[in-house]
Amino acid sequence: MSSPTLELTCDLIRRQSVTPDDEGCQLLMTKRLSALGFKIHHLRFEDVDNFWAIYGDSGPIFAFAGHTDVVPTGDSEQWSSPPFEPTLKDGMLYGRGTADMKGSLAAMITACENFLADKPILSGRIAFLITSDEEGIAKNGTVKVVEWLEQREEKIKWCLVGEPSSSKSVGDVIKNGRRGSLGCELTVKGIQGHVAYPQLAENPIHKVAPALAELTSERWDEGNAFFPATSFQISNFNCGTGATNVIPGEAHIVFNFRFSTENTAEDLMRRTEEILNKHHLDYTTKWHLSGQPFLTSAGELVEAAVKAIKNVAKRDTQLSTAGGTSDGRFIAPTGAQVLELGPVNATIHQIDECVKAQDLDTLSDIYHQILLKLMR
Ligand SMILES: [Zn+2]
């Protein structure tokens, strides 16, 4: 069993591109793309390799987006086969990155090769936005390439991210949005003292407890057809000296919102601080917004993907906004329609990560169909 998509996937897996290293994966891709006539821009930001490749002269841009880096293998002794040696067994391809997401990268390349082989007259441009730091801190990758594109006044209209979106069979789930993530480190000040002399102290636990109760019972929104209601969770609460007779001087609380498109980070911050203020706390907050929510509810891209999956895989697909964040969060705010469509995600980041070998060809055919629908 072999195919161009499978072979390219294997070549990519042999390169040990543990985040943020690329180890030549991008060169392998850009060689194939420049042979097709793509213009390549290698964009290295600090220690991170990225590239932007574009085919065609005018018209709306359809971009494939993805990452060449992979998460560490963990103890490679625990793998059934060496993680960077692609191994086919019973129709499954094993190796780090097979599902997340070197298989998708290979399928994107072969889809373009098949599509352009017929020398179609394009109604737009085809692009690749590829990074090698999606699995890491994501500071010098997609976010920087998007800034670079904005400086050049280039706008992506449709963006297909190759993240492994599928649940049981390829194409059964596509992600048309993601919840936002907003975190906060809250410090509440009191006055340390002896438990026997509370009149001389001020207990920050006692002061913050009613405020936390209010925050945990607040309805932030009701969600909508695509998102569950916004959730608030306290993940850490640290306070106290360990001694039983000391009123602590400070309380440290860490909490996180996973929020829907019914809310904004600004509103959540404002409402949180209103509640804290109501309880007359002496406090500081350190907010961290790690991703805005986004939603591509309808439009040409979703429609093209749903039809392509039906044509190629003979299956109805389900739209979902579940799961963690992805680099789609950096592209969606530019106004692009963003969709994630990739292989089955059951083993991603695990020991013995694998993908059904045949699914990679199916994925390439689905990508090809999407190009036919949007670019002709
Ligand atoms: Zn990924």
Side-chain angles (χ1 to χ4, degrees):
M1 181 164 51
S2 194
S3 78
T5 309
L6 190 57
E7 276 168 33
L8 180 53
T9 305
C10 293
D11 284 346
L12 289 167
I13 287 167
R14 285 190 194 98
R15 288 168 166 75
Q16 307 195 7
S17 55
V18 174
T19 191
D21 292 337
D22 168 66
E23 291 298 316
C25 291
Q26 295 184 12
L27 220 52
L28 205 60
M29 294 177 71
T30 52
K31 261 190 196 158
R32 298 276 281 257
L33 291 172
S34 62
L36 288 173
F38 277 78
K39 277 199 268 319
I40 315 288
H41 301 267
H42 293 282
L43 302 166
R44 191 174 164 88
F45 299 110
E46 292 181 29
D47 58 344
V48 174
D49 285 314
N50 309 277
F51 77 85
W52 169 255
I54 187 147
Y55 182 92
D57 302 315
S58 61
I61 296 177
F62 170 90
F64 285 111
H67 59 89
T68 51
D69 58 326
V70 296
V71 291
T73 60
D75 180 6
S76 57
E77 293 295 308
Q78 285 190 42
W79 284 65
S80 311
S81 53
F84 295 109
E85 188 47 54
T87 305
L88 258 178
K89 203 179 143 208
D90 303 326
M92 302 298 288
L93 179 68
Y94 290 84
R96 174 56 86 226
T98 45
D100 188 8
M101 56 175 280
K102 290 176 170 177
S104 309
L105 298 178
M108 291 169 181
I109 300 275
T110 55
C112 286
E113 288 171 343
N114 293 332
F115 175 65
L116 294 173
D118 294 334
K119 308 225 175 315
I121 295 167
L122 297 191
S123 60
R125 290 171 286 170
I126 307 171
F128 278 72
L129 193 175
I130 305 295
T131 182
S132 65
D133 90 333
E134 197 272 348
E135 301 287 11
I137 49 167
K139 274 215 158 79
N140 292 306
T142 303
V143 67
K144 288 271 171 72
V145 180
V146 166
E147 282 170 19
W148 180 85
L149 288 171
E150 272 172 354
Q151 281 162 18
R152 296 166 64 98
E153 294 181 11
E154 283 288 29
K155 255 196 174 337
I156 298 171
K157 179 164 187 189
W158 302 293
C159 182
L160 196 159
V161 187
E163 290 295 344
S165 62
S166 303
S167 164
K168 292 196 170 67
S169 17
V170 64
D172 62 353
V173 178
I174 56 182
K175 302 268 166 79
N176 64 322
R178 291 290 179 119
R179 288 183 295 177
S181 173
L182 174 68
C184 183
E185 291 168 44
L186 170 67
T187 301
V188 177
K189 291 190 188 71
I191 298 169
Q192 188 173 322
H194 196 300
V195 292
Y197 301 90
Q199 70 279 12
L200 302 177
E202 204 171 85
N203 192 320
I205 303 177
H206 294 194
K207 293 202 80 177
V208 78
L212 294 182
E214 198 170 331
L215 288 168
T216 52
S217 58
E218 180 80 0
R219 282 297 280 184
W220 302 94
D221 59 51
E222 302 299 323
N224 56 33
F226 299 97
F227 288 93
T230 291
S231 71
F232 169 90
Q233 284 295 315
I234 298 170
S235 58
N236 288 267
F237 189 123
N238 294 307
C239 200
T241 59
T244 56
N245 59 354
V246 177
I247 293 170
E250 274 187 359
H252 301 274
I253 297 120
V254 181
F255 56 84
N256 180 272
F257 287 100
R258 288 298 156 112
F259 62 105
S260 76
T261 46
E262 295 296 300
N263 243 306
T264 63
E266 292 69 32
D267 273 342
L268 291 172
M269 291 191 248
R270 181 185 51 76
R271 286 171 63 188
T272 302
E273 297 195 358
E274 268 173 22
I275 290 172
L276 297 173
N277 291 339
K278 217 167 84 184
H279 291 270
H280 308 292
L281 302 176
D282 181 5
Y283 71 93
T284 57
T285 47
K286 215 167 115 194
W287 292 97
H288 177 67
L289 176 64
S290 46
Q292 293 279 7
F294 69 90
L295 181 69
T296 299
S297 57
E300 307 90 351
L301 182 59
V302 169
E303 204 176 293
V306 169
K307 281 190 181 154
I309 291 164
K310 185 80 179 167
N311 279 351
V312 176
K314 314 282 180 246
R315 133 171 349 123
D316 293 317
T317 194
Q318 190 197 329
L319 295 174
S320 160
T321 59
T325 59
S326 86
D327 272 4
R329 70 195 144 130
F330 301 125
I331 302 162
T334 65
Q337 297 177 25
V338 177
L339 199 66
E340 295 174 20
L341 164 55
V344 172
N345 56 27
T347 60
I348 57 171
H349 297 206
Q350 295 182 11
I351 284 180
D352 285 345
E353 178 179 348
C354 61
V355 71
K356 204 169 157 190
Q358 211 173 19
D359 280 357
L360 300 178
D361 289 324
T362 307
L363 194 60
S364 173
D365 290 345
I366 293 171
Y367 290 164
H368 183 182
Q369 286 274 322
I370 293 172
L371 288 172
L372 284 168
K373 285 181 202 309
L374 293 176
M375 283 287 112
R376 262 200 330 199

